[in-house]
Amino acid sequence: MATQISREKVFFAFSPALKEIARIPQGEEVVMETHDCFEGQIQTTNDLVDSLDWNHVNPATGPLYIEGALPGDVLRIDLLEISVGKQASMVTLPGEGALGDVITEMETSILKFENDQIVFKNKVRVPMRPMIGVIGVAPADSAVPNGTPGPHGGNMDCTLITAGNSIYFTVGVEGAMFGAGDLHAAMGDGEIVICGAETPGVVRFKAEVVDLKGLPTPFIETEKLVAVIYSAPTVDEAASLATHRMAKFLTDFVKIPLNDAGMLMSLVGELKFCQVVDPLKTVRFEFPKAVLAEYGFQLRK
Amino acid sequence: MATQISREKVFFAFSPALKEIARIPQGEEVVMETHDCFEGQIQTTNDLVDSLDWNHVNPATGPLYIEGALPGDVLRIDLLEISVGKQASMVTLPGEGALGDVITEMETSILKFENDQIVFKNKVRVPMRPMIGVIGVAPADSAVPNGTPGPHGGNMDCTLITAGNSIYFTVGVEGAMFGAGDLHAAMGDGEIVICGAETPGVVRFKAEVVDLKGLPTPFIETEKLVAVIYSAPTVDEAASLATHRMAKFLTDFVKIPLNDAGMLMSLVGELKFCQVVDPLKTVRFEFPKAVLAEYGFQLRK
């Protein structure tokens, strides 16, 4: 039976000082509840962002101690299922986000869920595409607030972090100290006003240490592709680093000659935005698994 | 019968001084041949980039004078069909592109076409996805080399510029002086080593002035979405401007209130890379037409 983790215990920074709330054996299913990014403070259109307690924003449930995970290990999280809550919220924050210079009015919108669709202002229906905004492990050195992405994961807001996919992290401290939260019922690449359809939910997953030391993490695996995620102060820097790290993965792990790797990245690789609104910007470089297979490489033996 | 334009007459800068090679009535089909971006200088793996005459790179066929197109008009180009040549080339350019700091060896690769697939080094087969790299109209003020993108179009390297889609430009000079070239049999978003599968080809299209003055051009329309394209010295700047111009389109043309526009852009809009390797970087912001329809807006009356 799966281990159940309630959303009662949360943390607000991925830190080497975190103390676990539970120990999880590798390969065992975990069913973990998460708060929305506002820790439930926004329930109606009257709950505006100026009434928020900002010390309770971006909670991650956890941390979970993954048994046997040691610093330097690569930890694979298989995301098996993501269920969302009963509704979602979106807000505008004058002065913040990619349109903060033109948006002047604070507003909260409550989005209902109906038949796997999200209903915006009783007018627009868009497909449900649940994903995880904040997910990661404790860094080895210093604490990173949950609102910030980095090499340890955190607030990457990457739409590939969804059920059916796997995400790989490099373990920073013994037990990894894994946590997640900030689900979005849907979000577009870019996350223009710094929110998706913010919702509480439940994540079913399992964690396992895999023999891929040196993998450029955070690293994503879907049915069709792999992706390297990188966060940096500017999109240009994040894009350059994501590109270089994917090239290194293709040459070092897949053993594709560098020129071929570069040409294939130009031909069928895809540089994509995750978000442009957090303290660091996040970019991913996607590459098709079908090409890796032609070079005899597979992530799972 | 469609007007036939051979690839014999080309130009290398979109300029207000261009003289037309033909006059095209609006709404009439044109079948236009294009050179590859090397004007055919690379045919075998022995043709390395250090032997190139760089005065013959990025030719665009044209310019075509579109009858009745006046400065300030919005010109819609419906891309009806794109056929590629018999093969494509890709090259590595040490010192250039997103991996120019690590790529040290010049190399030319010739990619064969087989059954709608592109064959790389007799090893990897990828789907054919033909697109146009360079396309645009003469700017009103000064000349822009074809290798550079801008408000007039040019080297945008946007994978949405493909058959079935339409691209909108704001006319800079009388007759628009339209031209295109630099087809890619396929390319990934980012264009990491500054080339896709470079190929000559034939583009079938028609051009028409439409009643959409003030549209944020270059602007793309596909079956499912619209997109604003923007180019700037940095990706961050291009992303910000593409985002702001899409917001303005949604408020001014579609009449969506600004807060709703921002939240919808965050929920279902997508910021995407076109290329990060040309003198300016190019980004697009995509937004679903289904949402525009909910607000009673359609591009075509």
Side-chain angles (χ1 to χ4, degrees):
Chain A
M1 219 189 82
T3 304
Q4 307 285 324
I5 304 288
S6 88
R7 61 174 64 87
E8 208 176 324
K9 300 263 179 68
V10 298
F11 63 93
F12 295 91
F14 287 91
S15 158
L18 287 173
K19 296 282 173 269
E20 70 264 24
I21 61 162
R23 289 185 169 236
I24 309 292
Q26 287 182 39
E28 183 179 287
E29 283 195 17
V30 181
V31 174
M32 184 168 84
E33 297 177 350
T34 59
H35 280 289
D36 68 30
C37 71
F38 305 117
E39 208 178 331
Q41 295 179 81
I42 289 184
Q43 294 297 331
T44 77
T45 54
N46 295 323
D47 301 326
L48 296 177
V49 286
D50 64 354
S51 66
L52 282 178
D53 175 354
W54 287 91
N55 291 320
H56 285 266
V57 165
N58 281 320
T61 306
L64 305 182
Y65 182 106
I66 310 301
E67 289 180 356
L70 295 171
D73 282 348
V74 171
L75 183 69
R76 188 182 71 218
I77 308 290
D78 295 322
L79 298 169
L80 305 173
E81 193 181 356
I82 301 179
S83 336
V84 296
K86 290 200 168 60
Q87 65 178 28
S89 60
M90 293 193 81
V91 298
T92 55
L93 277 145
E96 302 289 335
L99 291 170
D101 57 333
V102 290
I103 287 178
T104 56
E105 300 290 329
M106 251 185 307
E107 181 178 340
T108 293
S109 185
I110 300 298
L111 292 74
K112 299 289 174 195
F113 300 154
E114 283 176 25
N115 308 319
D116 276 339
Q117 288 191 313
I118 303 167
V119 186
F120 179 81
K121 302 224 168 163
N122 292 318
K123 191 172 182 75
V124 176
R125 280 159 196 276
V126 305
M128 188 87 86
R129 299 187 300 166
M131 54 161 281
I132 301 173
V134 171
I135 184 169
V137 297
D141 36 16
S142 53
V144 181
N146 285 3
T148 302
H152 69 292
N155 195 15
M156 294 175 286
D157 289 316
C158 171
T159 50
L160 292 183
I161 306 177
T162 188
N165 297 347
S166 298
I167 180 160
Y168 296 75
F169 295 106
T170 300
V171 175
V173 301
E174 187 193 313
M177 301 298 168
F178 172 80
D182 183 28
L183 304 195
H184 302 153
M187 186 198 101
D189 281 347
E191 206 197 21
I192 297 310
V193 299
I194 336 184
C195 60
E198 305 292 336
T199 181
V202 181
V203 179
R204 185 162 65 84
F205 69 92
K206 54 186 188 181
E208 204 154 3
V209 169
V210 294
D211 184 19
L212 288 165
K213 271 194 186 169
L215 193 72
T217 53
F219 187 93
I220 300 263
E221 179 187 7
T222 79
E223 189 196 343
K224 299 278 190 196
L225 57 84
V226 294
V228 167
I229 297 178
Y230 201 82
S231 303
T234 67
V235 177
D236 292 88
E237 198 178 331
S240 175
L241 269 291
T243 301
H244 280 81
R245 287 163 76 93
M246 177 56 84
K248 203 158 161 51
F249 166 72
L250 294 177
T251 54
D252 293 4
F253 278 78
V254 189
K255 308 297 182 196
I256 303 181
L258 176 60
N259 277 356
D260 290 6
M263 288 189 273
L264 287 166
M265 286 172 70
S266 213
L267 186 65
V268 290
E270 307 260 6
L271 201 48
K272 295 203 176 173
F273 289 90
C274 295
Q275 59 74 28
V276 295
V277 293
D278 293 334
L280 300 177
K281 317 307 172 203
T282 306
V283 158
R284 65 185 182 270
F285 196 100
E286 299 180 357
F287 195 85
K289 278 164 94 173
V291 176
L292 307 186
E294 294 294 337
Y295 286 88
F297 179 85
Q298 42 189 30
L299 272 170
R300 295 165 195 247
K301 303 294 185 305
Chain B
M1 220 189 82
T3 303
Q4 307 286 323
I5 304 288
S6 88
R7 62 174 63 89
E8 208 176 324
K9 299 262 179 69
V10 298
F11 62 93
F12 295 91
F14 286 91
S15 159
L18 286 173
K19 297 282 173 269
E20 71 264 24
I21 61 163
R23 287 185 168 236
I24 309 291
Q26 287 183 39
E28 184 179 285
E29 283 195 17
V30 180
V31 174
M32 185 169 83
E33 297 177 349
T34 59
H35 280 290
D36 68 29
C37 70
F38 305 117
E39 209 179 328
Q41 295 179 79
I42 290 184
Q43 294 298 332
T44 77
T45 54
N46 296 323
D47 300 326
L48 296 177
V49 285
D50 64 354
S51 67
L52 282 179
D53 174 354
W54 287 91
N55 291 320
H56 285 266
V57 165
N58 280 321
T61 305
L64 305 182
Y65 182 106
I66 311 300
E67 289 181 356
L70 294 173
D73 282 348
V74 171
L75 183 70
R76 188 183 71 219
I77 307 290
D78 295 322
L79 298 169
L80 306 173
E81 192 181 357
I82 301 178
S83 336
V84 296
K86 291 202 169 62
Q87 66 178 29
S89 60
M90 293 194 80
V91 298
T92 55
L93 276 144
E96 303 288 336
L99 292 171
D101 58 331
V102 289
I103 287 179
T104 55
E105 301 289 329
M106 251 185 307
E107 181 177 340
T108 293
S109 185
I110 300 297
L111 292 74
K112 300 289 174 195
F113 300 154
E114 282 177 26
N115 308 320
D116 277 337
Q117 289 191 313
I118 303 168
V119 187
F120 179 81
K121 301 222 168 164
N122 292 319
K123 191 171 183 75
V124 177
R125 280 159 197 275
V126 304
M128 187 87 84
R129 299 188 300 166
M131 54 161 281
I132 302 174
V134 170
I135 184 168
V137 297
D141 37 15
S142 53
V144 181
N146 285 3
T148 303
H152 69 292
N155 195 15
M156 296 175 286
D157 289 316
C158 170
T159 50
L160 293 183
I161 306 177
T162 186
N165 297 348
S166 298
I167 180 160
Y168 297 74
F169 296 105
T170 300
V171 175
V173 300
E174 188 193 313
M177 300 297 167
F178 172 80
D182 183 29
L183 304 195
H184 302 153
M187 187 197 100
D189 280 347
E191 207 199 20
I192 298 311
V193 299
I194 336 185
C195 60
E198 305 293 338
T199 180
V202 180
V203 180
R204 185 162 65 86
F205 69 93
K206 54 185 187 184
E208 203 153 4
V209 170
V210 293
D211 184 18
L212 288 165
K213 271 192 187 172
L215 192 74
T217 54
F219 187 93
I220 300 262
E221 180 187 7
T222 79
E223 189 195 344
K224 300 277 189 196
L225 58 84
V226 295
V228 167
I229 298 178
Y230 201 83
S231 302
T234 66
V235 177
D236 292 87
E237 199 179 330
S240 176
L241 269 291
T243 300
H244 280 80
R245 287 163 76 92
M246 177 57 83
K248 203 158 160 50
F249 167 72
L250 294 176
T251 55
D252 294 5
F253 279 78
V254 189
K255 309 296 182 195
I256 304 181
L258 176 60
N259 276 356
D260 290 6
M263 289 190 272
L264 286 167
M265 286 172 69
S266 213
L267 186 64
V268 289
E270 306 261 5
L271 201 47
K272 295 204 175 170
F273 288 90
C274 295
Q275 57 76 27
V276 295
V277 293
D278 293 334
L280 300 178
K281 317 307 171 201
T282 305
V283 159
R284 65 185 180 270
F285 196 100
E286 298 180 356
F287 195 84
K289 277 164 94 174
V291 177
L292 307 186
E294 294 295 337
Y295 286 87
F297 179 85
Q298 42 189 28
L299 272 170
R300 294 167 197 244
K301 305 293 185 303

